[in-house]
Amino acid sequence: MTESHKFGSLSPITCHTWNKDRTQIAFSPNNQEVEVHQRNGNEWKLLDTLNQHDLRVMGIDWAPITNRIVTCAADRNAYVWTQDASGKWKPTLVLLRINRAATCVKWSPNENKFAVGSGARLISICYFESENDWWVSKHIKKPIRSTVSTLDWHPNNVLLATGSADYKLRIFSGFIKDIEKPPEPTPWGVKMPLGQLMAEYINCPGGGGWIHCVSFSPDGSKVVWVAHDSSINLADPTKGSGFIKLKTEFLPFLSCTWISPRSIVAAGHSCVPILYTVGANGQLVYGAKLDTSQKKESGGLSAMRMFHSLDKQARVETSDTNLDSIHQNAIYCVCIYGGDKSKANKISTSGLDGQLVIWDINSLERSIQGLKIE
């Protein structure tokens, strides 16, 4: 069953995140604020508004265990939010030491640090220094040559996948020796001092495009990313320095996540979440569209049908301007709602149409012919 929710505003929801038990959601309505809502059945109650930022919020993440929210914005700042005894959220400013907008943020799996990407061509690794009672940041700069647009942590809490507008996907070490032990060797490398470049992939063959979203597989052995050239890409370090690039027929994807060890969901400007699987030979294979409300195209492209529907007065029926999908505009954010990357049974999407949609993977698997989550 698919659920669609709106929060009383027509503003786009550019990013959202859930608390541990999925009873509360924090999202930004495309401005400088973050709203925290409590779910009660199909109703939503506004609990708090986080309004310390001066410019548009670009990234948000909710740590499930420590129950802390981190936000970053175009005002070049990040805040860590903690709840007091009355349930109100209190901010702590994090000095990122950047001179451009903060574009994305992500807690590490152990929740003892977080990473912030920025337009300053660097990544800030932030952790809490208990001696001075403040959050400090260390920078990863080289060889990044453009805005960092996306981040994702490896399950080992050290490796960090980053995508940027210079068409490159990079794997860095985010090891902080003051707060953690040296990591075990991985297929990505053995020695991992802070800022060490472990792998680099250039998303240029066949045209290329800047990277919109990146996601490590559940065990961290692979990484998938989507780019503005309408491609979805897969890298496996055990199979050499190359990667699999699948150019799709869809408009560019803006977000992606693993929902099982061999299944990926991607969504973007085509307004529908789409399933891809990793075949036995390591190739990416198209699975199905998760939006079962779509009608089959019998008369050619929708734009062509709309053109044919114009009458002599150049008028068009209102219904012809609606998309045959639940989302009516680009999907900007895909999150796991039920389960985790190793086995997700529900995902949530939000987009420029102001909707939050929850997709039940198990029911979709039964209703869509050929859809199989492995």
Side-chain angles (χ1 to χ4, degrees), residues 32 49 73 104 110 138 168 178 188 193 197 271 273 292 324 372:
Q32 73 276 14
T49 300
C104 50
N110 293 347
K138 294 187 176 181
K168 293 182 180 180
D178 297 338
W188 301 100
L197 180 63
C271 309
T292 56
D324 291 334
K372 186 177 182 182

Side-chain angles (χ1 to χ4, degrees), residues 52-53 68-73 75-81 91-98 102 105 107 113-116 124-129 134-139:
Q52 285 294 307
H53 287 290
R68 296 180 296 195
I69 296 174
V70 61
T71 60
C72 70
D75 60 5
R76 302 171 297 172
N77 291 325
Y79 287 93
V80 174
W81 303 79
T92 301
L93 177 64
V94 181
L95 295 178
L96 300 176
R97 299 183 292 118
I98 58 177
V105 64
W107 282 106
K113 58 186 176 181
F114 59 89
V116 181
S124 295
I125 308 295
C126 307
Y127 63 99
F128 189 74
E129 198 174 70
W134 62 7
W135 289 87
V136 297
S137 62
K138 294 187 176 181
H139 287 171

Side-chain angles (χ1 to χ4, degrees), residues 2 289-295 324 326 359 363-364 367-368:
T2 302
K289 295 180 180 179
L290 299 189
D291 194 340
T292 56
S293 67
Q294 283 208 310
K295 300 176 183 177
D324 291 334
I326 296 175
W359 310 80
S363 64
L364 291 171
S367 62
I368 301 177

Side-chain angles (χ1 to χ4, degrees), residues 2-57:
T2 302
E3 306 173 31
S4 179
H5 303 275
K6 290 189 176 181
F7 297 89
S9 172
L10 298 178
S11 300
I13 300 176
T14 48
C15 51
H16 73 274
T17 184
W18 298 93
N19 69 341
K20 183 178 181 179
D21 59 7
R22 305 307 196 260
T23 58
Q24 296 181 19
I25 186 174
F27 66 86
S28 173
N30 200 38
N31 59 20
Q32 73 276 14
E33 297 180 343
V34 171
E35 297 181 7
V36 180
H37 289 254
Q38 170 84 40
R39 183 173 184 178
N40 184 13
N42 288 326
E43 301 295 325
W44 295 90
K45 179 183 178 181
L46 178 63
L47 298 180
D48 205 350
T49 300
L50 317 184
N51 55 6
Q52 285 294 307
H53 287 290
D54 296 325
L55 296 175
R56 185 165 72 93
V57 174

Side-chain angles (χ1 to χ4, degrees), residues 186-245:
T186 71
W188 301 100
V190 178
K191 295 183 179 181
M192 304 180 196
L194 177 66
Q196 176 71 38
L197 180 63
M198 313 300 294
E200 182 178 77
Y201 303 97
I202 305 175
N203 193 56
C204 283
W210 55 89
I211 314 299
H212 282 300
C213 188
V214 61
S215 180
F216 270 115
S217 61
D219 61 358
S221 63
K222 302 178 184 67
V223 66
V224 68
W225 68 93
V226 292
H228 201 68
D229 59 350
S230 298
S231 69
I232 181 169
N233 309 269
L234 177 71
D236 185 344
T238 63
K239 297 183 179 180
S241 58
F243 65 95
I244 304 298
K245 184 182 185 72

Side-chain angles (χ1 to χ4, degrees), residues 8 10 17 29 38 44 88 112 119 122 129 140 168 170 179 184 222 236 246 272 289 326 343 351 362:
L10 298 178
T17 184
Q38 170 84 40
W44 295 90
K88 288 293 183 180
N112 58 349
L122 59 83
E129 198 174 70
I140 299 175
K168 293 182 180 180
R170 299 180 177 93
I179 61 172
E184 298 292 330
K222 302 178 184 67
D236 185 344
L246 177 63
V272 293
K289 295 180 180 179
I326 296 175
K343 183 59 178 177
N362 292 337

Side-chain angles (χ1 to χ4, degrees), residues 316-329:
V316 62
E317 295 295 333
T318 303
S319 60
D320 286 340
T321 65
N322 295 328
L323 299 177
D324 291 334
S325 60
I326 296 175
H327 277 289
Q328 293 295 297
N329 210 327

